[in-house]
């Protein structure tokens, strides 16, 4: 078997990717979820997004939420942005870790942010400058890295071009995202094999959805290929708008279970992650797709 | 990446493992499901079990179902048995492929068949003789190969002892089963690495449940470790009695999707498998955990 890492860093994304398509919940509810998430021991939390409140009403309270983050120690909070203006808002709100999304497919990029991949890539420079001028770090997340919901398969060269530009501009981290939950192990490992040589030492993360059941298999394939940064969401919170009822983000607790039993450590306490998933389920008021939330941990003996 | 096989043989188990904990459905309904399953192109179907009708009422019509199997060409039908007497019933009913289950944990073995692992292992000889005397083949399925719901982790030597006995007795196939859906990739590959040297050429299959979300990841790990025979159930039919609502068997269509996109062929047509999953869902009258049944195939482009 491939050599596996001793540790994987999980970034908890339930507050942003998890909640963004839900009916808006109150700021107090978000704080409750945040407390449950921080209690898991996770070191990185994607707290919100600074995007159009009319397009993503569930995250319209980004500034108000950001003001609450100072109460938590030992956690690095990040926020997603889709434009230089969003980066300015995030910095003004006190965030010091910015994620800037660039869709590798033109059709998704236009649907998502109203401009094509090339223009969104050019804007990396502005976002990076805004972040770095304020002492913040910036990560470029390549969305639709494997497939686009409109265009089908994404040519890997489009992914590589974005990453090359981002690395040249000195961004701090890169992530590749399976935005619509179509990736599978072989395709994951193929793309990572292409991306790795052009990273020039920039850390690489990966983001998977479980929409077609292969989310955990793809995440593990990424780890086998050397990725040690993965996004996950407690409860698997985060549905897929075009496929109601389908699983969303890979569930933090399911990922931690799989990694633990593969002798890979994380900072996340499994029982606490299951508790946080239960909090998430209660707050959004519908069943979440997490497996461990239903089945529990196995008997370790 | 590990060298992957060009083809994996899928055995469809929805008629047996899928239906066994459901409310009984009519023989006509089973025939409808069988027709949908055969239409997928799958070459091996586990049709039923010859076990106690009082313990498994959903499969009490085993003889009647067996009588209907002759209408299907080009499919090998198997039946599960838990005793030499069950093997006799299966042979008398016309089956020529027998699966005999031996639980590797004593507690599960006693709960399941009323005797411990050692006694169940001794009975392999009788089951194999009954099958072979009639020209039927016999597979030994090692249940609770990774974990027992009562005893916790299963010592791998217990699995190896059963397989050694089965190989010595000339059984035709071996399978290892993750009966309660707790396996994860590393543990799968570790056990397969221990099993492989003692197989003496006997084909090895694997059987996974998705109870903790890692079913497909474990199945793919088994394929990476050289296994080319996998059980699956359309729709993911087959819940877990001790964890209501949890996913059951890995879903055939989700597995085929993952394998196809990893350049591994099967005999199963993906759209037909999704259709069969829809038939299964309609017949049992409740939502099934399949991902592709909700989300559909990706755009191939």
């Amino acid at each position: 078997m491939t050599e596996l890492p001793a540790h994987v860093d999980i970034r908890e994304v339930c507050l942003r990717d998890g909640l963004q398509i839900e009916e808006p919940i109150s700021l107090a509810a978000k704080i409750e979820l945040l407390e449950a998430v921080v209690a898991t021991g996770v070191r990185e939390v994607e707290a919100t997004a600074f995007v159009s409140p009319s397009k993503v009403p569930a995250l319209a309270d980004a500034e108000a939420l950001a003001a609450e983050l100072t109460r938590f120690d030992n956690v690095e909070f990040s926020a997603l942005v889709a434009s230089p203006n969003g980066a300015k808002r995030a910095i003004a709100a006190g965030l010091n870790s910015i994620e800037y999304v660039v869709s590798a497919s033109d059709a998704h990029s236009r649907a998502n942010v109203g401009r094509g991949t090339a223009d969104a890539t050019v804007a990396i420079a502005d976002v990076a400058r805004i972040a770095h001028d304020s002492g913040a770090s910036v990560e470029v997340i390549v969305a639709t890295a494997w497939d686009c919901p409109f265009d089908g398969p994404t040519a890997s060269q489009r992914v590589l071009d974005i990453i090359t530009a981002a690395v040249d501009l000195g961004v701090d981290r890169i992530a590749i995202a399976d935005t619509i939950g179509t990736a599978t192990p072989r395709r994951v490992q193929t793309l990572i094999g292409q991306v790795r040589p052009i990273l020039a030492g920039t850390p690489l993360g990966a983001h998977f959805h479980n929409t077609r059941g292969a989310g955990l298999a793809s995440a593990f394939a990424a780890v086998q290929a050397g990725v040690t940064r993965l996004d996950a969401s407690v409860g698997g919170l985060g549905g897929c708008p075009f496929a109601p009822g389908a699983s969303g983000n890979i569930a933090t607790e399911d990922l931690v279970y799989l990694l633990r039993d593969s002798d890979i450590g994380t900072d996340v306490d499994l029982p606490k992650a299951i508790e946080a998933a239960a909090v998430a389920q209660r707050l959004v008021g519908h069943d979440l797709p997490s497996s461990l939330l239903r089945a529990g941990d196995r008997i370790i003996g």
Side-chain angles (χ1 to χ4, degrees), chain A:
Chain A
M1 185 167 183
T2 326
E3 189 71 20
L4 293 173
H7 188 92
V8 163
D9 292 313
I10 292 176
R11 175 166 58 190
E12 176 58 51
V13 300
C14 69
L15 273 295
R16 197 281 302 173
D17 203 13
L19 289 178
Q20 72 177 3
I21 67 144
E22 297 286 337
E23 288 294 309
I25 65 173
S26 70
L27 183 60
K30 290 184 183 182
I31 301 298
E32 184 181 354
L33 179 57
L34 198 46
E35 286 171 344
V37 156
V38 170
T40 67
V42 71
R43 305 296 302 271
E44 296 182 46
V45 174
E46 183 186 55
T48 187
F50 291 85
V51 292
S52 162
S54 61
K55 285 177 90 171
V56 189
L59 304 182
D61 60 0
E63 274 81 1
L65 181 70
E68 302 288 336
L69 299 178
T70 51
R71 69 170 78 179
F72 300 99
D73 294 328
N74 297 318
V75 178
E76 179 176 313
F77 292 105
S78 58
L80 184 139
V81 306
S83 68
N85 190 49
K88 287 179 191 164
R89 283 178 58 203
I91 298 293
L95 271 294
N96 56 24
S97 178
I98 304 295
E99 306 159 21
Y100 174 59
V101 180
V102 180
S103 290
S105 81
D106 268 320
H108 184 264
S109 186
R110 288 184 206 286
N112 205 32
V113 298
R115 54 185 172 181
T117 302
D119 289 343
T121 302
V122 166
I124 294 172
D126 286 341
V127 173
R129 184 178 43 71
I130 292 163
H132 288 161
D133 283 354
S134 305
S137 68
V138 63
E139 169 170 326
V140 166
I141 300 178
V142 183
T144 61
W146 284 273
D147 294 296
C148 169
F150 313 111
D151 288 344
T154 301
S156 59
Q157 190 58 51
R158 296 183 63 88
V159 176
L160 301 180
D161 288 348
I162 298 166
I163 293 175
T164 298
V167 168
D168 287 349
L169 289 164
V171 306
D172 302 283
R173 295 177 302 277
I174 301 285
I176 46 179
D178 176 26
T179 308
I180 57 170
T182 57
T184 45
R186 166 78 84 161
R187 299 174 76 217
V188 166
Q189 297 194 336
T190 297
L191 184 59
I192 291 171
Q194 295 171 305
V195 165
R196 187 165 294 289
I198 63 170
L199 287 171
T202 314
L204 177 68
H207 175 107
F208 296 103
H209 287 244
N210 197 34
T211 317
R212 284 164 185 84
L216 282 183
S218 294
F220 192 73
V223 172
Q224 287 180 309
V227 167
T228 58
R229 299 176 51 79
L230 291 173
D231 287 354
S233 176
V234 293
L237 188 66
C240 186
F242 73 93
S247 296
N249 287 278
I250 55 174
T252 306
E253 55 278 17
D254 295 357
L255 176 63
V256 170
Y257 173 90
L258 184 155
L259 293 176
R260 179 199 68 187
D261 277 10
S262 296
D263 297 326
I264 300 169
T266 67
D267 296 309
V268 177
D269 179 78
L270 185 51
K272 296 278 190 194
I274 295 173
E275 286 176 32
V279 170
Q281 181 164 273
R282 173 167 51 77
L283 293 174
V284 300
H286 60 79
D287 281 353
L288 293 182
S290 160
S291 294
L292 260 71
L293 187 54
R294 292 188 181 81
D297 196 359
R298 71 181 177 96
I299 302 171
I300 307 287

